[in-house]
Structure formats: structure tokens, C-alpha cells
Amino acid sequence: MAILGLFLVGFLAMVSHVNCYGGGWVNAHATFYGGSDASGTMGGACGYGNLYSQGYGTNTAALSTALFNNGLSCGACYQIRCANERRWCLPGSILVTATNFCPPNNALPNNAGGWCNPPLHHFDLSQPVFQRIAQYRAGIVPVAYRRVACRRRGGIRFTINGHSYFNLVLITNVGGAGDVHAVSVKGSRTGWQPMSRNWGQNWQSNSNLNGQSLSFKVTTSDGRTVVSYNAAPASWNFGQTFAGAQFR
């Protein structure tokens, strides 16, 4: 029984990993938005702001309700290829990061304009990256996608906004699974304190942490955790960004 228990634990861990990233291909559809320079994709429901300065560029996607997970999927990475549409598909695949939400349009049917309605799996891609897998004139194409590990340069970035007793930390440039599901913060004069997700990937603490060096503990959807000790020095100010450790 002990051996069977160990096998089940190992199997469940493997299934959990596959569900996060590295699994099989899933059918979906893709459209595009934001214009030829992707300027219309800036900002968005994940809170990343300028996608160029954050390092995401134009390889980005807005996710339908079924994929967005109320914002917890922000930062996840997907490999996407056009599928089964010879007239419009181009060869190859793209890698994109989830940076926005594609809202449902319940006034339109799912197959005629309501592309992001539940329960559809849909990617609204930036126009430049869409045109790498399909022709512009297609408008919408069937695709196959799968979760993949995010590969980032440098450490996880923490942008500290808000004010005393309301620290709003935007977390970007997360490798591995990419989508942050839990965050804790530790001041140099406090213990570890869990943060609550305010919106997108903005995480909130109501403690007064002014004048303390800050450490952050970040956990992604695959259950992995990385700790960035003293990522922000005691002299930090609101509006500043600091780099920490990274998932490997």
C-alpha cells in the first residue's frame, strides 16, 4: 500500500505539472486587435501597462473568460499554431504571454462575433503576432495551443505603488509557469505576511513597510516558489521597480 501511495502521489504531481504547462495541444480560435503597431494592446486587465518597457513586446494575447481565470492566468505563456485552414494558415508557431482579457459579448452568438463567450477557448492576439501564423484577411482562424514554460531575462520585477498602509506591488517578468497565484512580503522588521491579489497581477499589503528592506515570496500555478530576499532596499520609494530572483 505504501508503494501504491507513493505511485499515486507521483502520478498526481505529474498530472498537475502537465495541466500547468508541457501538456498536449488543445483546439481554440484566434483573432487580433491593437493595430499594426500593437499600440492598442498597451495597458490591459493584467495591469502590466507598457508592454514594451515590461519586456513582453508584441508577443501578447488577451484571453477569453474560459482561459483568463479571473486574472490568475496573467503572465502565463502559450505556444500557438494555426490549424486546419489551408486558405489562411501560415507555417510555424508563436509564443505569447497572457497580458489582457477578451470580454464576452453575450449579444452575439459564439460562432458569429461572440468569440470570447464562455465556454470558448479563444486568443485575441496582437496584430503583429497574429500575422506570423495567419493572413490578415482571415480575421479569425482555428488554432491549436498548449501551455509552455516562460523564459525571461533577468529577475522577477516588483513595482511598488500605492502609499503607506496600502502597498500595491505589480509583479512582472515571471519565468517558469509565469502566472502568479500567491505572494508574501517580509519587511526587515516584520515576519512573512501574505498579500492579497487586488487585480491582474497587482498584489496588495495593508502594512506600513516604509523604511524597511523588502523580501518577496512568489508562488506560481505549478506550486513552485521562489524567494527574493531584500529585493527592495530600505530606501525604496513608491513608483520604483526592483528585480529579484527568478524561476529556473
Side-chain angles (χ1 to χ4, degrees):
M1 288 298 292
I3 294 175
L4 177 59
L6 287 172
F7 171 80
L8 287 174
V9 169
F11 176 76
L12 290 172
M14 181 176 66
V15 169
S16 175
H17 174 76
V18 168
N19 285 341
C20 179
Y21 57 89
W25 293 90
V26 180
N27 293 327
H29 283 84
T31 49
F32 62 87
Y33 77 115
S36 60
D37 61 355
S39 59
T41 65
M42 300 298 119
C46 292
Y48 293 143
N50 188 317
L51 300 178
Y52 291 112
S53 61
Q54 296 290 10
Y56 300 118
T58 61
N59 282 39
T60 62
L63 306 185
S64 63
T65 302
L67 295 172
F68 191 63
N69 196 16
N70 291 318
L72 282 173
S73 293
C74 289
C77 295
Y78 300 86
Q79 182 180 10
I80 302 175
R81 64 190 184 196
C82 192
N84 305 318
E85 184 56 81
R86 286 187 176 183
R87 182 182 180 189
W88 303 118
C89 286
L90 300 175
S93 64
I94 55 174
L95 297 176
V96 299
T97 300
T99 60
N100 203 355
F101 175 52
C102 181
N105 186 342
N106 296 318
L108 296 175
N110 291 4
N111 62 352
W115 315 124
C116 292
N117 293 348
L120 300 180
H121 288 205
H122 190 92
F123 295 86
D124 202 13
L125 303 170
S126 76
Q127 183 178 328
V129 79
F130 176 89
Q131 289 184 257
R132 286 169 48 192
I133 59 169
Q135 296 183 48
Y136 172 87
R137 290 179 298 165
I140 180 172
V141 292
V143 298
Y145 77 92
R146 62 182 178 182
R147 281 284 302 273
V148 294
C150 300
R151 303 191 182 280
R152 306 295 185 204
R153 293 182 178 180
I156 297 172
R157 291 197 287 266
F158 304 93
T159 301
I160 307 173
N161 296 303
H163 51 79
S164 299
Y165 297 103
F166 180 73
N167 306 283
L168 194 64
V169 180
L170 172 64
I171 301 179
T172 59
N173 201 52
V174 182
D179 49 348
V180 177
H181 279 212
V183 181
S184 294
V185 62
K186 180 184 181 301
S188 51
R189 298 192 298 272
T190 73
W192 285 105
Q193 303 174 9
M195 303 183 77
S196 58
R197 193 171 64 90
N198 188 290
W199 67 282
Q201 283 298 354
N202 285 282
W203 294 79
Q204 172 184 338
S205 167
N206 294 328
S207 297
N208 186 345
L209 299 171
N210 293 351
Q212 302 180 58
S213 60
L214 303 181
S215 301
F216 296 95
K217 186 184 299 183
V218 174
T219 302
T220 46
S221 62
D222 58 353
R224 296 175 65 205
T225 297
V226 66
V227 180
S228 299
Y229 291 103
N230 300 314
S235 58
W236 64 268
N237 287 304
F238 292 106
Q240 290 184 307
T241 299
F242 303 94
Q246 184 59 275
F247 289 96
R248 301 298 179 192

